[in-house]
Amino acid sequence: MSELLQPVIVGAGPAGIRAAGRLVRAGLRPIVLDEGQRAGGQIYRRPLIEDGRSYRSRYGSEAGKARKLHESFEALLPEIDYRPETLVWNVSPPERGNQLDVLSAGGHRQIGFSQLLLCTGATDRVLPFPGWTTSGVYTLGASQTALKAQGCTIGDRVVFMGSGPLLYLVAWQYMKAGARVEAVLDTAPFTSKRHLLPLAVRASRIVGLGLFYGLQLQLAGVRIHYGVRPEMVLGKGQVEGLRFRRRTLMGVASETISCDALAYGFALRPETQLADLAGCRFRFDERDRTWLPERDALGRTSRPDVYVAGDGSGIAGADAAEISGELAAMALLEDRGQASAADAPRLVTARDAILRQRDILESAFPFPDDWFETVPDETTLCRCEEITIAEGRHAIASGAVTEINRLKALSRVGMGRCQGRMCSAAAAELLSGTCGTAADKVGRLRAQAPVKPIPLGFSAGLETEGCS
Amino acid sequence: MSRRISIDVAIIGGGLVGSSAALAIRKAGLSVALIDKGYCGAQASGVNYGGVRRQGRPPEQLPLSQRAHRIWPQLKAMIGIDAEYMRCGHLKLARTEKDFAKLEAYAETVRDYGLGLELIAGSALERRFPWLSAKAVGASLCPEDGHANPRLVAPAFARAAERAGVAVLELTPVRDVVATGNGFGILAGDGVEIRCRQLVNSAGAWSDRFAAQFGEAVPLIRIYPSMVVTEPLPLRLPVSMGEQGGSFYGRQVARGNYVMGGGRGLPLADPDYSRPSVTAASSVMQRAIALFPHLAHAQVIRFWSGTEAEMPDGNPVIGPSETTSGLFHAFGFCGAGFQTAPAVGAVLSELVTEGRSTTPIEAFSIGRFRKVTAETAASL
Ligand SMILES: Cc1cc2nc3c(=O)[nH]c(=O)nc-3n(C[C@H](O)[C@H](O)[C@H](O)COP(=O)(O)OP(=O)(O)OC[C@H]3O[C@@H](n4cnc5c(N)ncnc54)[C@H](O)[C@@H]3O)c2cc1C
Ligand SMILES: Cc1cc2nc3c(=O)[nH]c(=O)nc-3n(C[C@H](O)[C@H](O)[C@H](O)COP(=O)(O)OP(=O)(O)OC[C@H]3O[C@@H](n4cnc5c(N)ncnc54)[C@H](O)[C@@H]3O)c2cc1C
């Protein structure tokens, strides 16, 4: 490890920004890389062009936190080496030293690091159902991004569906923005909401906000249904409505609802491919039904010079991301021989309290693990490669497949543009459901560089810095 | 899971070599176990470039290669799928006069083997292949060479073998193998014991270990060819391409993706896994743009690499062991075993059932390394 190398932080969301702050206070000048144009990450995403909207109208209840985070970042700018619009698409494995491959301004660069902190966040988790690839169907997160970053809505008459805290929040935000919310279709049964009761005592603000969103939606006449399963998107070429099933007192009923856009999602999935390429060990997390890099309480991974923080190390929300960014920075500093910070125990306690609340919150929005029992075979499973569930099932049966990389090899699921970032959650569920095994038994897709597509023409004129 | 199996022939390694051998030997009437440490066709046979190419091979490989050439169009009948096999032609470019002279010399050397090579020089090249943008002095076309989808072939051979009655043991690494006097004893997986009369060593880049166990050390090295694939693009490249004196090769698959290779990746700490090298991938990408400028804005979606066995003289090892009767080796295909493998399976079946091969394989004897290894040992 060369003395000249600086620590590198990937991701300028809540986790990355707080980590950078800690490192700067300890006298370092970290390199901060983010593929976005502006810092802030997902929740505190900033508009590309200032549109004159207030923090209050853009970030609602989180306006104060958003402002603080953005201001902290502005203050850090002279002290850090910040590079926006820089996609990190590869990390060298430990056998090959410590460098990143990045794409910026259309060119290829290699950047060496002394230590690497991955704060890559999360994206929506989606599951396939008939018509989910129709134009006008968005993820919950994307529909919110449209609102935050571009100040526009995905439609005039919108249905919100799925599970997870974002469901009610985004529906409410749309209502406030003037869109007509046709319905909120919660895939979790109403009974799952009883889990919120104990949470109300520990985290009255979260539950209070949730109730507030739900109540305001209902007062405005928005229909809210629980235990919903979608049947199909209506409309050819463009969303015209949704047909869905729900449990009523009379049994299961099928209903249709008309809309011009649908936003749906099932909580989030962490972005972990860089940690995988870096060679970090992974473990299966039952609650999030996904594989996460192993980490200690502060964020050290199994690779001594690589750290993780924020949602990319386990879905826990923005407040936890800020704290975990600080903690990971402390670990990084400790490992450079700087004394451990006095406030570490307090921060660990605060973060753990959020994690406990999060566990309860997640049980109020359970994952619909019976999904593939009812989704018809001709539904698209992998949209990049246009593979149907039937083809996935056929590959599983005819190839005696029990493992996800084998499923990829035999069916092409996860081989397309998104490299499985969007479809592998669904593919893993389909595989474990078909084989009748637990979700962790089917393994995880091995990451390959580039983690996101890069232009073929980028390779002319490689620049390196801090690399031997 | 402890289990005892008694069988005529055991095959270590379910790549395309092992799985095509399994099917052929089973069809010849023997009982067969096909053993793989992972899944059949998940190593070199499943992740290679997919070139089904005879052009460029040394003459001693051509009888074998021609035999394979006759097998490839029969896949549908043999294994139930055609594996996207296409005889679209293999075009080898020469950038300089010197390289073109080499192509001419090669065509002359292999004239009697029936490859049907066509030499195309100067402006004829442009007329024939107007989509070709790179400056080239000439090229050699092998019209009946082509490509196929490696993901599908070996697994389909293994499944066909299974349907024919082969015991296919996947996720079952062979841990130990010994000669028992009248056959072999194998320990594999969690307590699987296999007894067999004859044994095939087709463990790809891991074969040297089994050869050494029978006193036949070989100078096998592992190589990791680097591959790059783009997103699907409009169909434009009708042939599989290579270059004389360059390391670039590329083809466009039916779905539209350009699959391209060149240069070498490197192993990870666990040598079963490798990573393409960014340097190799970048030079493949640069060469691709020089050849096909329309790709400048295409997106690359993935790099990958795979583990292959290379021998110092560029030829594989195929044939009986010289120390142990009943043992047959087939490995070391030097980055070119995808095309020949189905014929290697047929040859192995002949060796196992009749003790001889109808295709000449003398150049591939394991004994050719005995002398070299002994000399090296003596000089130390
Ligand atoms: C679409 C979306 C909407 C959300 N909305 C809400 C909400 O309204 N309320 C709420 O409480 N929570 C919301 N969440 C969750 C919340 O955003 C996260 O909990 C929080 O942002 C986590 O912070 P983080 O720092 O871990 O990651 P993020 O805020 O996600 O930041 C990660 C950053 O890393 C960058 N990055 C990732 N990969 C690379 C790479 N390879 N190269 C370069 N840069 C990279 C990204 O550009 C991003 O800026 C949302 C999440 C998503 C995905
Ligand atoms: C990236 C790449 C590109 C290539 N491109 C081409 C091309 O375009 N054209 C061409 O003709 N050739 C090409 N090749 C070469 C070709 O793929 C190989 O020569 C051929 O597949 C070798 O087949 P095999 O069956 O010997 O080996 P493999 O397919 O590697 O099979 C060996 C098997 O043995 C198993 N094994 C190993 N150890 C054990 C053990 N202890 N117990 C049980 N099983 C074991 C492995 O798991 C493996 O499945 C390429 C190779 C690579 C890697």
Side-chain angles (χ1 to χ4, degrees):
Chain A
M1 186 162 48
S2 154
E3 288 310 308
L4 295 171
L5 293 181
Q6 287 294 339
V8 174
I9 299 173
V10 182
I17 293 175
R18 289 303 172 209
R22 270 285 160 165
L23 298 184
V24 165
R25 272 178 278 152
L28 297 176
R29 186 181 168 80
I31 299 173
V32 179
L33 309 173
D34 197 296
E35 64 176 313
Q37 278 180 346
R38 302 191 67 187
Q42 292 288 9
I43 171 168
Y44 308 129
R45 179 179 288 277
R46 304 167 85 172
L48 301 182
I49 306 156
E50 280 304 340
D51 52 8
R53 278 162 71 198
S54 69
Y55 267 77
R56 189 81 222 160
S57 80
R58 181 168 291 123
Y59 303 107
S61 65
E62 311 304 290
K65 291 183 204 160
R67 181 190 298 277
K68 261 167 98 182
L69 192 78
H70 294 160
E71 283 172 1
S72 307
F73 188 75
E74 301 302 328
L76 280 174
L77 274 177
E79 320 288 335
I80 63 176
D81 180 352
Y82 169 53
R83 307 186 197 175
E85 295 182 77
T86 302
L87 170 71
V88 180
W89 57 266
N90 188 27
V91 185
S92 58
E95 297 87 341
R96 258 51 62 88
N98 42 357
Q99 74 195 33
L100 305 173
D101 290 284
V102 309
L103 174 72
S104 61
H108 178 201
R109 248 180 137 77
Q110 289 185 323
I111 301 176
F113 58 83
S114 60
Q115 290 152 302
L116 174 66
L117 173 51
L118 298 171
C119 303
T120 43
T123 58
D124 297 89
R125 176 164 55 192
V126 290
L127 292 173
F129 70 94
W132 70 289
T133 56
T134 310
S135 150
V137 180
Y138 292 79
T139 65
L140 283 171
S143 60
Q144 191 193 45
T145 301
L147 208 55
K148 275 185 196 167
Q150 279 116 27
C152 62
T153 62
I154 59 168
D156 298 327
R157 296 174 297 119
V158 188
V159 168
F160 292 86
M161 182 181 75
S163 185
L166 272 184
L167 177 63
Y168 293 89
L169 169 64
V170 184
W172 179 81
Q173 287 171 333
Y174 262 62
M175 183 175 78
K176 283 282 147 191
R180 192 181 149 85
V181 177
E182 294 291 352
V184 175
L185 306 177
D186 194 328
T187 54
F190 183 68
T191 48
S192 63
K193 308 302 173 209
R194 70 178 187 277
H195 296 288
L196 293 173
L197 284 174
L199 186 63
V201 185
R202 289 204 210 172
S204 49
R205 182 168 177 274
I206 298 181
V207 177
L209 273 175
L211 280 176
F212 171 76
Y213 298 142
L215 218 63
Q216 281 222 325
L217 285 163
Q218 263 169 335
L219 284 177
V222 172
R223 287 204 271 159
I224 300 182
H225 293 308
Y226 301 93
V228 168
R229 290 290 178 277
E231 285 186 342
M232 67 188 299
V233 170
L234 304 173
K236 289 218 181 342
Q238 179 66 39
V239 175
E240 288 167 14
L242 178 76
R243 201 169 76 213
F244 63 96
R245 270 188 324 280
R246 68 183 177 98
R247 215 169 260 295
T248 66
L249 291 175
M250 327 294 286
V252 178
S254 184
E255 285 177 35
T256 51
I257 188 164
S258 145
C259 60
D260 64 2
L262 169 70
Y264 87 115
F266 302 89
L268 302 176
R269 51 158 291 282
E271 286 279 273
T272 57
Q273 310 94 290
L274 291 179
D276 190 5
L277 289 175
C280 300
R281 255 198 322 269
F282 277 63
R283 66 174 179 89
F284 189 78
D285 186 80
E286 289 292 340
R287 193 201 70 190
D288 292 345
R289 288 176 89 86
T290 192
W291 292 85
L292 295 172
E294 280 180 24
R295 61 169 163 83
D296 73 0
L298 299 187
R300 292 182 179 92
T301 68
S302 63
R303 177 169 166 178
D305 51 357
V306 177
Y307 306 76
V308 287
D311 274 3
S313 68
I315 306 299
D319 294 353
E322 287 194 43
I323 303 176
S324 72
E326 295 222 27
L327 290 172
M330 288 177 194
L332 191 155
L333 289 167
E334 251 177 55
D335 297 345
R336 295 172 79 98
Q338 302 199 11
S340 51
D343 54 348
R346 182 183 59 77
L347 287 173
V348 171
T349 312
R351 201 256 327 256
D352 290 351
I354 300 177
L355 292 184
R356 280 194 299 276
Q357 295 165 9
R358 193 79 199 182
D359 283 344
I360 303 175
L361 195 62
E362 295 295 334
S363 45
F365 294 99
F367 183 81
D369 47 16
D370 60 345
W371 192 261
F372 284 101
E373 288 169 18
T374 52
V375 180
D377 256 12
E378 62 277 8
T379 311
T380 301
L381 171 62
C382 164
R383 69 193 300 176
C384 302
E385 291 296 308
E386 301 169 293
I387 309 293
T388 63
I389 290 176
E391 291 169 288
R393 286 211 169 104
H394 174 75
I396 294 168
S398 63
V401 175
T402 55
E403 199 267 340
I404 186 107
N405 292 288
R406 182 67 166 174
L407 177 59
K408 172 179 164 183
L410 295 187
S411 71
R412 296 204 322 267
V413 167
M415 269 197 181
R417 276 186 70 90
C418 87
Q419 289 291 290
R421 290 167 57 245
M422 299 304 139
C423 61
S424 68
E429 296 292 335
L430 180 71
L431 181 54
S432 69
T434 311
C435 304
T437 50
D440 62 321
K441 291 291 177 291
V442 302
R444 77 195 158 89
L445 271 190
R446 281 188 295 275
Q448 299 279 15
V451 301
K452 289 184 188 170
I454 52 176
L456 189 75
F458 90 114
S459 53
L462 168 69
E463 287 181 62
T464 59
E465 48 184 302
C467 303
S468 49
Chain B
M1 183 188 36
S2 82
R3 189 172 159 194
R4 274 162 196 266
I5 298 171
S6 206
I7 208 114
D8 293 330
V9 185
I11 300 174
I12 308 177
L16 190 49
V17 171
S19 49
S20 63
L23 180 63
I25 296 170
R26 178 72 199 118
K27 292 259 151 127
L30 300 185
S31 62
V32 183
L34 176 65
I35 315 160
D36 202 287
K37 68 181 168 61
Y39 291 100
C40 290
Q43 294 289 345
S45 300
V47 303
N48 63 62
Y49 163 69
V52 183
R53 162 187 69 77
R54 297 163 295 164
Q55 166 158 248
R57 289 176 189 272
E60 60 275 20
Q61 284 189 20
L62 288 177
L64 187 67
S65 195
Q66 286 295 64
R67 186 169 181 178
H69 186 64
R70 292 189 294 273
I71 298 176
W72 276 97
Q74 300 172 41
L75 289 191
K76 180 95 187 154
M78 291 172 78
I79 60 173
I81 56 164
D82 67 6
E84 298 169 21
Y85 172 60
M86 276 199 305
R87 287 189 171 174
C88 58
H90 177 258
L91 186 69
K92 197 166 186 182
L93 289 185
R95 282 192 257 182
T96 62
E97 292 291 351
K98 225 172 111 195
D99 284 337
F100 190 64
K102 284 190 186 147
L103 290 180
E104 288 175 318
Y106 179 78
E108 184 55 30
T109 312
V110 303
R111 203 182 45 194
D112 296 336
Y113 289 94
L115 301 192
L117 297 184
E118 270 179 65
L119 288 161
I120 309 159
S123 57
L125 193 62
E126 257 167 67
R127 278 201 304 279
R128 188 92 182 260
F129 304 105
W131 45 266
L132 195 65
S133 313
K135 286 198 182 55
V137 173
S140 170
L141 176 72
C142 186
E144 292 207 334
D145 276 358
H147 50 76
N149 191 334
R151 289 187 300 108
L152 307 175
V153 189
F157 261 105
R159 295 282 86 87
E162 195 166 38
R163 285 194 299 274
V166 170
V168 178
L169 309 177
E170 296 185 309
L171 301 172
T172 311
V174 171
R175 302 185 192 287
D176 197 19
V177 43
V178 289
T180 55
N182 57 349
F184 301 87
I186 297 170
L187 273 183
D190 297 335
V192 181
E193 284 179 44
I194 299 160
R195 297 204 153 259
C196 60
R197 286 190 297 109
Q198 288 170 300
L199 179 67
V200 173
N201 172 20
S202 55
W206 298 265
S207 299
D208 51 342
R209 177 192 144 198
F210 297 111
Q213 219 151 333
F214 294 98
E216 294 179 293
V218 285
L220 176 153
I221 60 161
R222 291 176 175 187
I223 58 166
Y224 308 89
S226 244
M227 307 295 304
V228 169
V229 60
T230 69
E231 64 190 325
L233 296 159
L235 291 177
R236 189 154 174 180
L237 179 61
V239 295
S240 182
M241 300 241 332
E243 279 191 301
Q244 175 67 41
S247 76
F248 176 88
Y249 45 100
R251 67 185 179 110
Q252 191 174 19
V253 305
R255 199 175 149 68
N257 312 70
Y258 283 70
V259 176
M260 303 175 290
R264 298 276 158 88
L266 294 156
L268 296 177
D270 175 352
D272 282 13
Y273 296 97
S274 58
R275 278 287 166 74
S277 95
V278 171
T279 329
S282 306
S283 49
V284 167
M285 288 156 76
Q286 273 172 45
R287 189 66 196 136
I289 287 182
L291 287 169
F292 320 114
H294 63 277
L295 290 186
H297 299 289
Q299 305 262 309
V300 165
I301 59 175
R302 183 170 63 253
F303 302 165
W304 82 91
S305 176
T307 310
E308 168 70 340
E310 187 171 76
M311 309 309 293
D313 59 3
N315 272 327
V317 171
I318 306 171
S321 154
E322 297 196 345
T323 62
T324 313
S325 108
L327 170 64
F328 301 90
H329 300 293
F331 61 80
F333 291 91
C334 309
F338 182 58
Q339 192 269 344
T340 47
V344 178
V347 163
L348 283 167
S349 174
E350 290 175 346
L351 288 172
V352 163
T353 57
E354 300 159 34
R356 59 180 186 86
S357 160
T358 54
T359 303
I361 53 168
E362 291 70 37
F364 314 136
S365 81
I366 195 162
R368 73 188 196 268
F369 297 116
R370 197 179 347 116
K371 198 160 148 265
V372 183
T373 322
E375 274 168 11
T376 324
S379 70
L380 287 176

